[in-house]
């Protein structure tokens, strides 16, 4: 199991930016993919972006392709989510997730494939 801690959330105005960080500890050597999900009140948790830790390939949900960027710093065991041009509809709790799955994953942004989760960090965008 991997322990994940998110940070970087906060309150910004429309058009602002935030960078979320997710630091991993524990059994991180077996981690293959890490991802960011978000959940707004009354809505399902949705995948935002994922990254293949071993090679750096990135995957995005279509809605975030142009505004969000996922990256990693292996020396710090940290994955980031840079969020630009934020909108009120981006208001949500953002969660980091990790998996050690090594077989083919048909959807890197589906929560079913992720086994370790952080506690989340709140992002609030005001108009």
């Amino acid at each position: 199991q991997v322990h994940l801690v998110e940070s970087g959330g906060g309150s910004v105005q429309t058009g602002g930016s935030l960078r979320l960080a997710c630091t991993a500890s524990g059994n991180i050597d077996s981690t293959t993919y890490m991802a960011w999900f978000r959940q707004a009140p009354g809505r399902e948790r949705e995948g935002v972006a994922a990254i293949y830790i071993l090679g750096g390939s990135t995957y995005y949900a279509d809605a975030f392709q142009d505004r969000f960027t996922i990256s990693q710093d292996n020396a710090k065991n940290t994955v980031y989510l840079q969020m630009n041009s934020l909108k009120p509809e981006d208001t949500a709790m953002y969660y980091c997730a990790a998996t050690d799955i090594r077989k083919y994953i048909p959807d890197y942004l589906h929560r079913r494939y992720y086994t370790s989760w952080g506690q989340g960090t709140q992002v609030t965008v005001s108009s």
Side-chain angles (χ1 to χ4, degrees):
Q1 200 79 354
V2 176
H3 182 60
L4 304 171
V5 178
E6 302 98 333
S7 61
S11 297
V12 295
Q13 292 188 325
T14 298
S17 298
L18 283 174
R19 188 176 78 156
L20 307 183
C22 173
T23 300
S25 61
N27 190 23
I28 59 176
D29 288 343
S30 62
T31 299
T32 51
Y33 297 88
M34 291 182 67
W36 286 96
F37 291 77
R38 74 181 192 181
Q39 188 167 17
R43 302 193 65 175
E44 294 287 319
R45 189 170 298 189
E46 62 176 340
V48 175
I51 187 165
Y52 180 50
I53 296 299
L54 304 180
S57 298
T58 56
Y59 311 89
Y60 295 91
D62 290 342
F64 311 109
Q65 179 81 43
D66 295 330
R67 299 186 297 124
F68 293 3
T69 303
I70 190 170
S71 62
Q72 63 182 17
D73 184 335
N74 289 339
K76 297 181 179 180
N77 297 325
T78 299
V79 169
Y80 301 97
L81 184 68
Q82 177 67 44
M83 305 187 296
N84 299 325
S85 302
L86 285 163
K87 309 172 183 179
E89 50 264 44
D90 293 318
T91 295
M93 185 71 80
Y94 284 72
Y95 297 92
C96 178
T99 182
D100 60 0
I101 196 167
R102 293 185 179 272
K103 64 180 181 180
Y104 170 70
I105 300 177
D107 183 357
Y108 298 103
L109 297 176
H110 199 295
R111 60 182 298 181
R112 66 183 293 181
Y113 297 109
Y114 292 87
T115 53
S116 298
W117 292 84
Q119 293 299 307
T121 186
Q122 177 68 38
V123 171
T124 303
V125 185
S126 58
S127 58

